[in-house]
Amino acid sequence: MTPTGEQLCYVDAYARSVSARVRHVETGEAALVVLDRTVFYPGGGGQPSDRGLLMRAADGRTWTVRGAKKAGGEIVHELETSDGDPPAVGDDLQVDLDWARRLSLMRTHTALHALCGVVWRDHGAKVTGGNMEPGAGRMDFEFETMSGDLVGSIEATVNAELGAARDVLVNVLPRAEAFAIPDLIRTKIDLLPEGIEEIRTIEIVGLDLQADGGTHVANTREVGGIRVTGYESKGRINKRIRIELVDPVADA
Ligand SMILES: [Zn+2]
């Protein structure tokens, strides 16, 4: 099954639907479907996979995609078990994301990078991990001096940076070039597996640069604002900050 199907999420985060043909189907507890192209994000880097719908062009039959994952380099769509027999190899489908959910994840993901950028620039604290759901997320930092007062000022600074309407750029760099960028090293790029020859980066221009496989909004203005909803110590050095988006998710 080569070459790999087209993976639009990495190139155009705003692509929410596409026509595709079924290349491979596996039945089991849930049917797994591989297409010749898709807009689904398979999950990773703390961003959950997309959900959405497949609709067969020939007869309008639909299947709910309850999740997606990467397997053998391919993006695999996992169908809802109650939807019956899966589509067949060769079927032409319309592929549609649950766009409100995806857009919320994009805004949340970019908000978390803005938080990382501020915490690094103003406090020199490295990020050690993170996770998100639509509209809310958390980041862990090596941040010994974190306090309630500091977290309040971090929230205000992140909101000012988001309001500064900074562009968010996607780049793909050769490995050697990426490893020469100090900002990338601090986010533990050195942990990336040997075999990866190209590094995808997300840059919030003037604020943050990270190796990242996720989907992001194109400008920080689209995030709106954030609120810090909690912070906690995970040890003397390791601290966690929780945030949420302040306004309801707009379905663009
Ligand atoms: Zn990220």
Side-chain angles (χ1 to χ4, degrees):
M1 206 170 50
T2 51
T4 305
E6 209 181 330
Q7 303 180 349
L8 292 163
C9 63
Y10 301 118
V11 187
D12 179 7
Y14 290 85
R16 61 173 98 173
S17 66
V18 73
S19 302
R21 182 164 291 175
V22 177
R23 299 172 65 216
H24 182 76
V25 178
E26 226 174 280
T27 49
E29 193 269 312
L32 303 175
V33 176
V34 176
L35 306 172
D36 65 349
R37 68 178 62 86
T38 187
V39 287
F40 275 74
Y41 178 66
Q47 182 181 336
S49 74
D50 288 320
R51 296 179 193 154
L53 272 185
L54 304 178
M55 187 184 80
R56 186 157 57 200
D59 60 0
R61 180 166 169 193
T62 60
W63 292 266
T64 300
V65 182
R66 68 180 189 186
K69 62 185 178 184
K70 264 263 176 88
E74 295 280 7
I75 294 173
V76 178
H77 307 75
E78 191 181 298
L79 305 189
E80 199 66 78
T81 49
S82 55
D83 285 354
D85 293 342
V89 170
D91 279 358
D92 288 315
L93 304 176
Q94 179 72 17
V95 183
D96 281 302
L97 295 184
D98 176 342
W99 177 246
R101 182 173 179 278
R102 157 66 94 75
L103 183 61
S104 181
L105 285 166
M106 285 161 56
R107 295 169 65 218
T108 306
H109 201 160
T110 302
L112 289 169
H113 281 217
L115 173 66
C116 287
V118 165
V119 167
W120 171 249
R121 182 195 63 193
D122 297 351
H123 306 282
K126 287 184 190 176
V127 64
T128 58
N131 215 341
M132 76 199 79
E133 55 188 274
R138 61 154 172 92
M139 302 256 34
D140 295 334
F141 298 96
E142 289 174 358
F143 196 176
E144 196 174 356
T145 61
M146 191 186 79
S147 67
D149 285 350
L150 218 46
V151 164
S153 87
I154 287 168
E155 177 186 280
T157 307
V158 169
N159 281 326
E161 294 293 347
L162 294 172
R166 297 182 180 279
D167 284 331
V168 183
L169 307 179
V170 182
N171 279 300
V172 177
L173 304 175
R175 186 184 180 94
E177 206 176 307
F179 272 62
I181 300 173
D183 259 20
L184 288 183
I185 302 298
R186 60 112 175 152
T187 52
K188 302 191 188 294
I189 191 179
D190 46 316
L191 299 180
L192 291 173
E194 287 279 332
I196 296 178
E197 292 309 320
E198 289 188 321
I199 311 282
R200 184 176 183 270
T201 64
I202 299 295
E203 179 180 15
I204 301 179
V205 175
L207 180 64
D208 186 69
L209 177 64
Q210 293 186 39
D212 189 90
T215 61
H216 290 260
V217 292
N219 189 285
T220 57
R221 198 175 34 213
E222 294 174 55
V223 175
I226 61 136
R227 182 187 308 128
V228 172
T229 54
Y231 59 95
E232 58 209 79
S233 283
K234 309 299 284 181
R236 188 172 60 85
I237 307 279
N238 294 306
K239 314 289 163 139
R240 173 169 292 177
I241 300 177
R242 297 177 187 279
I243 64 163
E244 63 181 23
L245 302 179
V246 289
D247 54 337
V249 175
D251 187 3

